[in-house]
Amino acid sequence: MEDGRTLQEQAGPPQREPPVSGEPLVVESLTTEIRRRRGSFAAVDNVSFSVRGSEILGLVGESGCGKTLTALSIMRLLPEAARITSGRVLLGGRDLRGLREADMRGIRGKDVAMVFQEPMTSLDPSFTIGMQLIETIRAHGAGTKREARDRSIEMLENVGIPRAATRLDDYPYQYSGGMRQRVMLALALLLEPAVLIADEPTTALDVTIQAQILDLILQLRDEHGMSVILITHDLGVVHEIADRVAVMYASEIVETATAGEIFRKPQHPYTQGLLRSLPELARRGTPLPVIEGRVPELGALPASCRFGPRCPNRITRCDDEHPTLERANGDRELRCFNPTEFELRLGH
């Protein structure tokens, strides 16, 4: 690697065709609270973003910042202690918040689907893979049992499961981790939803399988024209396949921009810190840069800037006010009082 090369030169994502127009999913001012004995707190706080047609949106941030709960709020699959208190989730212009649970069951899987973080806990160990795929199709009235079986075999083949007709009768424990993740993708894509939410789809997989899963998501996006929300804390994964990026910190969005802009010119100090912490971009022979401090507890968030205690750009205003998410230049939104230019020079 040549000394003095900038992040723009080295780490810009590959060029891809721009997504088609339209926004099949729009999240507006979404707030989800967690109830506890000593009161409630917002685990998702006034979150707004949209996903365009055929676009892959990377939703990134440290563990505990609210990414998964945002996805569960969209799907209305919240734990008992959580509830959406405000905002809208528009799927094809239809607000999911106002629907009855029976109507939501008809939408999950058919219009919006989710691949959960741990496939072994998402697949029922008591039933064969085939039974779980077939029942998903039958629950939506999408064909006879024979048609559902044929569709299940076809989808397993599409996600790269060898001998799909035979493996259909195996149980989840008979599949490897990578194969189970492919089954989860097959389940999510059976009814060709408009939006796919993939929550850490490459967690605990080796590098080779990770690459295969990411290539598969790209391939299926291109074939089916679906939009994807990719939830991850791995910026390397985002760099590979995302078109746009939304960065979350302490239950709120702090920056959104195209993937190219995020990697070339990040403006929020938190986004900059995440990029500096990438091992592959660190200067060889020097300690890996880290973001000092910890993510604040969501039940004890400061009234001022939530990143302020960890921020190298902190000014007096940061201690007195809470910044709002404002439209910046171009397609970027930013929540910061003191953004600074960013340039990362790479060592040997």
Side-chain angles (χ1 to χ4, degrees):
M1 188 180 297
E2 198 173 300
D3 194 14
R5 294 179 67 189
T6 65
L7 182 62
Q8 179 176 2
E9 296 165 344
Q10 176 65 23
Q15 296 297 313
R16 288 185 287 271
E17 291 296 320
V20 298
S21 60
E23 295 178 334
L25 180 68
V26 178
V27 177
E28 295 180 351
S29 305
L30 180 66
T31 297
T32 299
E33 292 187 351
I34 302 292
R35 299 186 299 274
R36 57 181 184 176
R37 292 179 181 177
R38 293 176 294 172
S40 302
F41 65 89
V44 176
D45 192 1
N46 197 30
V47 165
S48 298
F49 62 85
S50 63
V51 189
R52 298 162 185 168
S54 301
E55 177 182 63
I56 297 180
L57 174 72
L59 186 59
V60 305
E62 293 170 277
S63 297
C65 68
K67 305 185 300 297
T68 295
L69 200 61
T70 298
L72 294 176
S73 299
I74 293 171
M75 298 292 293
R76 280 182 48 185
L77 291 173
L78 293 168
E80 187 175 346
R83 63 188 178 97
I84 300 173
T85 57
S86 63
R88 300 196 300 170
V89 178
L90 302 176
L91 183 66
R94 188 182 189 187
D95 188 2
L96 301 186
R97 277 199 66 201
L99 298 183
R100 298 176 306 158
E101 177 57 27
D103 295 327
M104 274 304 301
R105 285 196 295 269
I107 286 174
R108 295 188 196 107
K110 183 179 179 182
D111 299 310
V112 57
M114 184 169 176
V115 178
F116 295 93
Q117 190 171 115
E118 177 44 63
M120 197 59 194
T121 59
S122 301
L123 294 168
D124 193 322
S126 305
F127 296 96
T128 65
I129 295 298
M131 291 178 68
Q132 296 180 62
L133 290 166
I134 291 167
E135 287 307 309
T136 297
I137 297 173
R138 298 279 286 155
H140 289 274
T144 65
K145 190 169 183 179
R146 167 53 63 183
E147 290 169 340
R149 182 178 178 86
D150 291 343
R151 172 63 176 161
S152 298
I153 293 171
E154 177 188 6
M155 186 53 67
L156 287 182
E157 290 173 343
N158 288 345
V159 298
I161 301 293
R163 298 181 292 108
T166 302
R167 298 304 306 271
L168 199 68
D169 298 319
D170 287 344
Y171 288 85
Y173 77 88
Q174 295 173 280
Y175 283 68
S176 67
M179 288 297 184
R180 288 195 296 268
Q181 195 64 279
R182 290 171 183 267
V183 170
M184 290 301 299
L185 280 170
L187 270 168
L189 297 171
L190 275 173
L191 301 172
E192 299 186 6
V195 179
L196 172 69
I197 302 174
D199 188 5
E200 300 282 6
T202 59
T203 295
L205 301 178
D206 62 56
V207 176
T208 302
I209 301 301
Q210 283 186 29
Q212 292 175 0
I213 294 296
L214 295 179
D215 287 343
L216 181 59
I217 290 174
L218 276 173
Q219 175 190 336
L220 295 172
R221 185 279 300 265
D222 294 339
E223 290 177 354
H224 297 275
M226 67 183 178
S227 304
V228 180
I229 300 176
L230 177 67
I231 299 174
T232 182
H233 59 266
D234 188 340
L235 284 176
V237 169
V238 171
H239 172 265
E240 287 296 318
I241 69 171
D243 299 299
R244 235 168 10 109
V245 181
V247 182
M248 283 195 77
Y249 182 78
S251 79
E252 61 185 9
I253 301 287
V254 296
E255 184 171 13
T256 63
T258 65
E261 286 296 303
I262 285 290
F263 281 90
R264 286 192 294 267
K265 294 181 179 179
Q267 292 189 7
H268 197 282
Y270 179 60
T271 310
Q272 295 175 355
L274 291 176
L275 286 172
R276 289 192 183 98
S277 301
L278 287 173
E280 56 266 35
L281 300 183
R283 188 180 297 275
R284 187 173 298 174
T286 61
L288 181 67
V290 298
I291 303 174
E292 299 293 339
R294 300 173 59 184
V295 179
E297 292 186 17
L298 297 184
L301 294 173
S304 56
C305 178
R306 295 174 186 179
F307 188 62
R310 308 174 72 188
C311 183
N313 298 358
R314 182 171 162 186
I315 57 177
T316 302
R317 188 181 180 188
C318 303
D319 296 328
D320 299 331
E321 300 178 42
H322 181 249
T324 57
L325 188 67
E326 302 286 350
R327 176 73 64 178
N329 55 305
D331 199 30
R332 188 190 303 270
E333 293 178 307
L334 186 65
R335 188 188 300 273
C336 185
F337 292 132
N338 189 33
T340 57
E341 292 298 320
F342 176 79
E343 183 175 314
L344 180 64
R345 292 194 172 273
L346 306 172
H348 290 289

